[in-house]
Amino acid sequence: GRRGVYSGCSGLQIAYLSGTEAQQQPEPAHSFSAKDVAELKTSLLSTPNFRGVDILLTSPWPRDVGAYANSAGEIDTKKCGSKLVSDLAASLKPRYHFAALEKAYYERLPYRNHMVLQETPQHVTRFIALADVGNTSKKKYLYAFSIVPMSSMDPAELVKQPQDVTENPYRKLGKEAPKSKAPLSAEEEPACQFFFDLNKHQGKKRPSDGKERGDSQPKQAKKPPQPTGPCWFCLASPEVEKHLVVSIGTHCYLALAKGGLSPDHVLILPIGHYQSVVDLSSEVLEEVTKYKAALKEFFRSKGKRYVLFERNYRSQHLQLQVIPVPLDLCTSEDIKEAFIAQAQEQQIELLEIPEHSDIAQVAQPGTPYFYVELDTGEKLFHRIRGRFPLQFGREVLASEALLARPERADWRQCAAQRPEEAAQARAFRRE
């Protein structure tokens, strides 16, 4: 028939919607309508403790499935596919969703089915489109995988979030529907795992009723601007080397530095496209602060202190470089003196600013600058007015006065092969 649910003896549950979306009334025998979708949703959502289905099979792709994710190649996911299928997928929360009408292979990055910090964590969905069987272009039309029925899985194992999880692509469609429920109107940026506790002080960040939700328009205006070209650090960008990512929060993520000064040289990066700390919204800045606190505690447990620096000059996306230095190698005063001494040699005016002051108090948005922050809270700041050595921060830390690794001053000379980088990231995550 047009729709239904198949339940195997193992507990595996497969929902299906046959044919294409009807474009006329009465609908042809080979098409489905909004009524079919509504009835299929009702039959499942009325089930007590419904969490989702294991597999969803449809012919059309869901409309906008490519939002927030990797490219679908020549297929324009904003124009192809069915909004009814998108609505069905958003409601049924399949662990796997297969479709094949576009005759192209596309394996989308997994997406989450809950609003971070607002709902109990849920499993992710993987959308996989397959080409037509036996196609002459040899596009992939078979997909082999192993699956344990949701009903048999440990709840904690079921809701584990993979490293490359993305925002739910159907939420913006949900916002267009006047009767949409809260799970379809999320506006916050994605999260998939937590390096620290993000549950504090989050209760006021999202409107709780329909009247307040109308005030959400100003928030949209404050979203980070889109990059004008390819960005290596926007998490949704295909250029991001995701094998280096070690933790993802709500607004920021943590990644190992490519060609790092040490194996545990990390970057704190905003998920959205922000150019500098000065440009960050209060929510993103709050999470940056939490990441710094977590890293301080982590490195101290390893007998190290960290040095953080930012160069807002000839850079497109904010990168907070965090480099650990062994406690027995040098003191915070030694680090500060090394930066000041090398700055003087290069005629760079590096000034100390009050410990509890905000960089936004000394630099306006768009102002080029360089600043260093020690884990003691001490800060050194330089307003860039002309040319500035791009590797200055690395050069100071790599110098004989500190890490004594001058050969690693230029990251391009330190880049490792991808398997080695991935192994370092896995080791860091385990720690």
Side-chain angles (χ1 to χ4, degrees):
R2 289 179 178 170
R3 74 209 180 271
V5 180
Y6 172 80
S7 297
C9 59
S10 65
L12 191 75
Q13 200 169 45
I14 304 173
Y16 59 90
L17 184 68
S18 298
T20 57
E21 182 177 341
Q23 302 298 319
Q24 61 190 57
Q25 293 293 333
E27 60 269 9
H30 62 271
S31 297
F32 59 83
S33 65
K35 181 181 177 182
D36 293 308
V37 171
E39 290 179 354
L40 179 55
K41 285 168 56 178
T42 300
S43 67
L44 284 163
L45 297 179
S46 60
T47 306
N49 303 316
F50 177 76
R51 292 184 295 174
V53 296
D54 292 298
I55 296 172
L56 172 63
L57 302 176
T58 65
S59 184
W61 288 25
R63 178 70 61 88
D64 262 341
V65 68
Y68 311 116
N70 48 318
S71 170
E74 297 178 357
I75 306 298
D76 186 349
T77 60
K78 293 181 180 179
K79 296 180 179 179
C80 83
S82 163
K83 288 186 178 181
L84 287 177
V85 172
S86 299
D87 178 48
L88 183 66
S91 298
L92 299 193
K93 301 180 177 67
R95 292 165 63 202
Y96 285 86
H97 179 181
F98 293 94
L101 189 62
E102 300 301 325
K103 299 183 179 182
Y105 172 71
Y106 173 49
E107 184 168 357
R108 189 200 187 280
L109 293 172
Y111 64 83
R112 67 178 60 81
N113 283 297
H114 63 277
M115 291 195 300
V116 176
L117 304 179
Q118 304 298 313
E119 297 178 321
T120 303
Q122 299 184 48
H123 58 272
V124 301
T125 295
R126 289 174 167 82
F127 172 77
I128 296 151
L130 297 172
D132 46 329
V133 176
N135 66 86
T136 56
S137 302
K138 296 184 178 181
K139 296 176 182 177
K140 188 173 180 177
Y141 62 88
L142 291 175
Y143 185 84
F145 69 110
S146 128
I147 184 171
V148 176
M150 187 186 305
S151 58
S152 303
M153 290 188 68
D154 175 74
E157 188 69 26
L158 176 66
V159 302
K160 278 188 176 178
Q161 305 289 291
Q163 184 177 308
D164 54 354
V165 70
T166 76
E167 181 63 275
N168 190 308
Y170 312 129
R171 284 183 180 162
K172 61 180 181 180
L173 292 176
K175 283 189 284 187
E176 294 170 2
K179 295 183 180 180
S180 293
K181 295 183 180 180
L184 295 181
S185 62
E187 295 173 3
E188 293 187 2
E189 294 175 0
C192 74
Q193 66 186 55
F194 298 95
F195 191 72
F196 48 81
D197 183 11
L198 287 175
N199 291 320
K200 297 179 181 178
H201 311 302
Q202 296 292 331
K204 297 182 180 178
K205 288 192 177 177
R206 183 173 297 278
S208 58
D209 59 61
K211 187 181 295 184
E212 291 176 352
R213 198 171 294 138
D215 297 330
S216 63
Q217 290 302 319
K219 284 188 178 181
Q220 292 182 341
K222 293 181 181 178
K223 286 186 177 181
Q226 296 301 307
T228 54
C231 180
W232 291 96
F233 299 105
C234 285
L235 192 55
S237 170
E239 281 80 21
V240 171
E241 299 199 48
K242 292 186 171 64
H243 66 287
L244 293 171
V245 176
V246 294
S247 171
I248 304 178
T250 309
H251 304 289
C252 306
Y253 71 99
L254 197 71
L256 286 189
K258 193 170 184 68
L261 278 164
S262 61
D264 47 5
H265 175 174
V266 295
L267 307 177
I268 302 174
L269 304 131
I271 291 172
H273 190 73
Y274 293 91
Q275 184 166 333
S276 71
V277 165
V278 176
D279 297 311
L280 295 181
S281 66
S282 58
E283 293 86 357
V284 183
L285 190 58
E286 179 184 359
E287 190 167 310
V288 166
T289 302
K290 289 182 177 180
Y291 258 121
K292 290 195 291 188
L295 287 171
K296 177 180 178 179
E297 182 179 350
F298 170 74
F299 286 129
R300 285 281 175 162
S301 72
K302 302 293 181 182
K304 300 176 182 179
R305 60 166 51 88
Y306 78 65
V307 181
L308 178 149
F309 68 83
E310 178 199 2
R311 171 176 53 81
N312 180 31
Y313 171 72
R314 294 180 63 182
S315 60
Q316 187 183 18
H317 190 110
L318 167 62
Q319 305 158 52
L320 293 178
Q321 309 269 344
V322 184
I323 300 93
V325 178
L327 290 169
D328 58 1
L329 187 64
C330 54
T331 65
S332 295
E333 196 62 27
D334 294 332
I335 296 171
K336 186 164 64 172
E337 289 178 2
F339 270 97
I340 292 173
Q342 195 147 331
Q344 289 174 344
E345 288 179 9
Q346 300 190 41
Q347 297 183 324
I348 294 171
E349 187 182 30
L350 198 58
L351 304 174
E352 187 167 357
I353 60 176
E355 179 180 335
H356 300 291
S357 63
D358 191 338
I359 295 299
Q361 294 175 292
V362 293
Q364 296 297 317
T367 301
Y369 63 82
F370 173 86
Y371 97 97
V372 184
E373 181 177 334
L374 307 183
D375 64 356
T376 57
E378 296 168 279
K379 299 182 183 75
L380 300 173
F381 178 86
H382 169 66
R383 180 177 284 106
I384 299 173
R385 293 186 170 87
R387 299 187 65 180
F388 183 82
L390 299 183
Q391 304 293 338
F392 178 74
R394 287 183 65 112
E395 288 170 358
V396 176
L397 287 160
S399 68
E400 293 295 336
L402 298 179
L403 293 175
R405 303 194 70 181
E407 74 280 2
R408 302 194 71 83
D410 189 336
W411 71 270
R412 290 166 295 189
Q413 306 300 319
C414 312
Q417 296 297 313
R418 188 184 180 96
E420 183 181 346
E421 292 176 335
Q424 288 180 346
R426 287 194 298 270
F428 191 91
R429 283 194 291 269
R430 285 196 297 270
E431 291 184 328

